[in-house]
Amino acid sequence: MILLWLIAILILAGVLAAVAGRFNAAAPRVISLAALVLDLALCLGLWGRGLSSASRWSEELSWTWVPQLGIHFHLALDGLGLVLILLTMFLGIMAVLASWNGIQRSPGFFHFNVMWVLAGVTGVFLAVDLFLFYFFWELMLVPMYFLIAIWGYQRRIYAAVKFFLFTQISSLLMLIAMIVLVILHQRTAGFYSFDLQDLLATPLAPDMEMLLALGFLAAFAVKLPAFPFHTWLPDAHAEAPTAGSVILAGLLLKTGAFGMLRFVLPLFPHAVQRLAPLMMTLAVLGILYGAILAFAQNDLKRMVAYTSVSHMGFVLLGIFALNPIALQGVVVQMVSHGISTGALFVLAGALNERLHSRELRDMGGLWETMPMLSGVGLFFVMASAGMPGLGDFVGEFMVLLGTYQATPVLSALAALGMITGACYALRLAQKTFLGPNVHHSDFPDARWNERAIAVPMMVCLLWIGLYPQPLLNMIRPAIDNMPRQAVTARR
Amino acid sequence: MLNLLWLAPALPLTSAVLLAIFGSRWPRKLVSLAGVGSIGLAAVASMLVAWSFLTAPPPGNAFVLPLWTWMAAGSFRPEFGLYLDPVSLLMLLVVTFVGFLIHLYSTEYMRGDEGYARFFAYMNLFVASMLLLVLGSNLLVLYMGWEGVGLCSYLLIGFWYRDAANVRAANKAFLVTRIGDTAFAIGLFLLFTQLGTLDIQQLMQRAQSQWPAGSTLAIAAAALLLGGAVGKSAQLPLQTWLPDAMAGPTPTSALIHAATMVTAGVYLIARTHVLFTLAPEVQLVVAVIGAATLLMAACSALVQRDIKRVLAYSTISQIGYMFLALGLGAWSAAMFHFMTHAFFKALLFLAAGAVIQSLHHEQDMFRMGGLRRELPVAFWSFVIGGSALAGLPLLTAGFFSKDLILWQSWAGLNGSIWFWLCGMLGALLTSLYTYRLVFLVFYGTAKSHVSERPGLAIKLPLAVLCVLSIFAGYLDTPPHFGGVPRLSNFLNSTLPALEEVHVGPVITEVTTALTASLVFLAGFSLAYLLYYRRRVEQPAESALARFWAAGWGFDTLYSWIFVRPFVWLAEVNRRDIVDSLYTALASLTQASNGLLQRTETGHVRWYASGLAIGSAVFLGLVWWMR
């Protein structure tokens, strides 16, 4: 039941916020924050209780929904899901705090959308029924569309439509693949089922398996995004309001990686083996290509957006390296990237509130007037560049190490991403915080909500960077539970 | 007592964190107390540890202090632990002690700076990272320290961030060393994949037992680690960042870019010397890199105008000597030279700082002169430090450590006449550029006005370093002359003893020492003639001089083959060529929409003929596919 509550609280808080927003501008913020804090507390409670080692799921809820088609309202939680819903609630709180002052236009509807996106994300991380998964997958999409299209910057409509089209078309391919899979399962097993556990046993001809895998991958590769499906991302991230960017980069991208881990690897192990070289090559291309593009940008938000392309390349690489070290690295990288990039978007938002510009040429020398914000910003820039001792390093290192065991050459090429990563990180720091002061006016340094965002995020990154064990312990059983043929346990 | 080891990195780290958070609100005295005191306490802790280590050596002459398991994923479980053996003990003592002196110096040097607390936060963080690098029991911990010192180096080079040139220098340092670091990281992947651990001692044991000498894997691993080492230690071909790094405050240059961080590459190779022994080809490359770098940098040092750049090139050159020693298999000689170099080069930089501060941040040697009487402390520091650098025979520390390397360049494992000649030529150049600096700055007519004289916080570190620059050499004196190589003996439990493969006939220990003395004298006399008697007042302007002054054109070369293509590529593709595919798809859709709209004419005959043609085509298809 607690799983249902996690989602229901967000849904209800969203409705409540929308209603309350008609009477009071501050109420939606407080309601959303309270709901997210409550959810975070519930998640922490789940974590504190420990993961069950006896069964696959430590928490499960299954109600029949459409019995004729074997559709269940089936939610289940394992370590992987738990890590990601913890991240969801954490970043959700940050997103609400980040938009505390910035959102003046219909805060009720804004927070309704934020809550519903988060509900969709939570559902995605918990659903183990394919139909239900698809439902939540689509639920994420629409509120995010509104967030970009209503509260975004100048090119918001273009960005929102582009985001919607990319996601929607790729999702349809996944839907077709799902339906075909269910029908094939019905032919052999004799009954319809959308349940992941049932479908795992479906025997598939190699070519069919490949087609279906590609169908699923289409949706996930666009969402991740993998090179060359990444071009919606810079527009969407750059045009979205701060909360939208945080949720997009921190959570929506992660749903793509999560989908691969939860569905593609277990359902299509042989096809995954065959696809691995291609996907890893795309991943390496994405790492380097994204980094070079990030280096070239003159718009702070676009720059940070392209760094995500590069970082998600590491995630894709690790997934298809198909060994336990890389896969655990992937999850660490997902969490760390969510925090560090989320923080950079908050920073970009904070600067935009003060300077009314996202252009790097309007910045420079900010350290002089805003030493705290700049110092904190440099911290996250360095985290993003993979500084050891901070979370991203652990993830990247494990991914590269695992990849090296699979294919040394691709790992070495991907490691060049450490150099290109330094290129954009240094340029970002150089053009914003350092150099001569170009604006010559007094701006307030970090406000209370910005501090409240920065401190927990820094603590989390340090914690993951220095002692990631609690996180790894959570992930480990989920990785071990993947079918053996999907994850070749080397050494 | 050995358990106090963790305090050495922990104290500076704590102070760095406190200074970063509260420093801007603290009074200056408190900042100094935290910044200098933490390093002082770390030095005291190190000395207690050293005392305990020397009086009651732990079994195997090595002590491991496990702290926690950093991460554990399957067989990958790097321990976060500290490892103390003679080599790391030597580094520990040098880093904390020299570090303390430089911090003390900084309280006066940085006195008026608005970023006083920030400076000490960075410096303390640096010391903590450096100690982690030195003490890490695991290559991953070492790597963390390695990146940490790189970060601090970046922060401190760009400390005066308002000047865009400083920021560029900082970026360059970070990026160039990052290239080496990436090779290092790939080396770690290889070592873990092949040998299943990153614990340094286990790694060396397994490499020794599993890899035959000259095996491809050993060569690859050693070459990748070498990549990291040349980046950090500013050796060919990644030496270009160090001269620009002089943009940082002078204490930074003394601590990071002379005494400690830049020798991290030397330490890494000494630490993993087993790998290099297993890869003789790579070891030879180390020697060649060292010899080439020491000559190249010495030539560049000869023609600089900026006092700090002379010292920077000199540092590159002296680390070249250490690399030469490593490549020859004279591991302990490299560590000996590291130690004496840390003392005399820190001394020279700090003395240069005293000069620069007295002259309103003037760094051009051709605008100095005659400062001998005005700044006696700086003068004597330069005389003593410079003589140690140039290798004034028998009196200075630098003579003994350099002489050992020169002797090994013939007698050692990879020794040859060429290395010996390179070493001698380098010694000649060193002596020449050192005394050129001394004569230019301290003799002749005064050209600038001395505005302030150094106080106690500057004088005291200089005095202590002067003493060390003279007497540290007696730790290890050549047995051929009746000396006792105490330091080499001490290090021998970790590093193999020096070998004497070739002895004579012409080149013997005695002739080497004599030649080195003569070469020193030749360099000094040449400098005396050129810069004291003839008093050259203008820097050399020949093409060769300009070429050398510009660091042999490496910056230009790299700019053309790496930087410009990268930036060009980035800028050309700023709008993302991949996106144009999707845009094209969108335009195509709109275009076809326009095309199809045209068919909606409202004329019945158009629709009728369309129907007819369509039916015909369809029927034809059916008939054809029948």
Side-chain angles (χ1 to χ4, degrees), chain A residues 6-21:
Chain A
L6 286 175
I7 300 170
I9 288 172
L10 296 176
I11 298 264
L12 292 175
V15 175
L16 206 59
V19 176

Side-chain angles (χ1 to χ4, degrees), chain B residues 313-606:
Chain B
Y313 277 111
S314 158
T315 303
I316 300 178
S317 174
Q318 294 301 307
I319 298 171
Y321 274 107
M322 298 176 211
F323 267 64
L324 177 62
L326 296 169
L328 298 164
W331 315 105
S332 52
M335 295 310 295
F336 183 30
H337 197 55
F338 147 75
M339 182 187 78
T340 60
H341 176 258
F343 297 145
F344 65 68
K345 194 51 73 58
L347 172 61
L348 287 171
F349 265 114
L350 294 186
V355 172
I356 293 167
Q357 199 177 37
S358 307
L359 301 180
H360 288 295
H361 294 272
E362 177 60 70
Q363 303 199 4
D364 188 342
M365 295 190 296
F366 286 92
R367 292 197 205 134
M368 301 175 182
L371 292 174
R372 184 176 28 145
R373 295 217 172 70
E374 298 274 343
L375 298 170
V377 176
F379 171 64
W380 283 106
S381 301
F382 259 102
V383 168
I384 293 171
S387 301
L389 167 63
L392 174 68
L394 299 177
L395 278 180
T396 58
F399 170 73
F400 292 105
S401 55
K402 197 190 286 175
D403 188 55
L404 192 58
I405 296 174
L406 289 172
W407 167 232
Q408 283 285 317
S409 67
W410 168 254
L413 202 61
N414 279 331
S416 81
I417 185 72
W418 297 111
F419 288 143
W420 190 84
L421 284 174
C422 284
M424 285 299 172
L425 183 56
L428 175 72
L429 294 170
T430 309
S431 175
L432 179 57
Y433 69 67
T434 306
Y435 290 107
R436 169 181 178 261
L437 186 157
V438 173
F439 288 127
L440 278 177
V441 174
F442 294 100
Y443 288 85
T445 48
K447 291 172 202 159
S448 330
H449 175 64
V450 173
S451 57
E452 53 177 318
R453 283 183 179 59
L456 193 63
I458 286 185
K459 282 181 183 163
L460 190 69
L462 290 178
V464 176
L465 287 170
C466 279
V467 172
L468 287 171
S469 300
I470 294 175
F471 293 105
Y474 299 122
L475 272 180
D476 200 277
T477 43
H480 290 255
F481 299 108
V484 188
R486 291 183 203 87
L487 186 70
S488 298
N489 290 344
F490 177 57
L491 295 176
N492 278 347
S493 68
T494 308
L495 301 171
L498 298 180
E499 288 179 72
E500 296 185 354
V501 184
H502 325 91
V503 180
V506 181
I507 304 175
T508 61
E509 178 114 39
V510 178
T511 50
T512 303
L514 279 178
T515 320
S517 308
L518 286 176
V519 154
F520 164 81
L521 211 58
F524 175 79
S525 316
L526 207 55
Y528 178 79
L529 289 174
L530 284 174
Y531 298 97
Y532 186 75
R533 296 297 291 274
R534 262 189 58 208
R535 193 66 201 175
V536 174
E537 294 290 349
Q538 283 302 315
E541 286 294 339
S542 68
L544 184 67
R546 267 179 288 146
F547 179 63
W548 283 356
W552 297 61
F554 274 94
D555 280 332
T556 321
L557 181 73
Y558 290 165
S559 165
W560 278 101
I561 50 180
F562 298 115
V563 181
R564 281 159 196 256
F566 181 81
V567 173
W568 177 82
L569 187 73
E571 282 182 359
V572 157
N573 195 31
R574 179 173 295 144
R575 310 282 307 266
D576 196 351
I577 187 97
V578 177
D579 196 35
S580 56
L581 292 179
Y582 297 105
T583 324
L585 194 67
S587 325
L588 195 72
T589 316
Q590 277 179 342
S592 55
N593 163 273
L595 209 65
L596 289 175
Q597 246 176 12
R598 293 254 199 97
T599 61
E600 203 181 300
T601 51
H603 296 299
V604 179
R605 58 175 185 274
W606 272 100

Side-chain angles (χ1 to χ4, degrees), chain B residues 230-251:
Chain B
V230 295
K232 212 47 132 199
S233 290
Q235 298 291 293
L236 276 171
L238 297 180
Q239 81 290 12
T240 56
W241 63 270
L242 189 59
D244 291 349
M246 296 300 122
T250 307

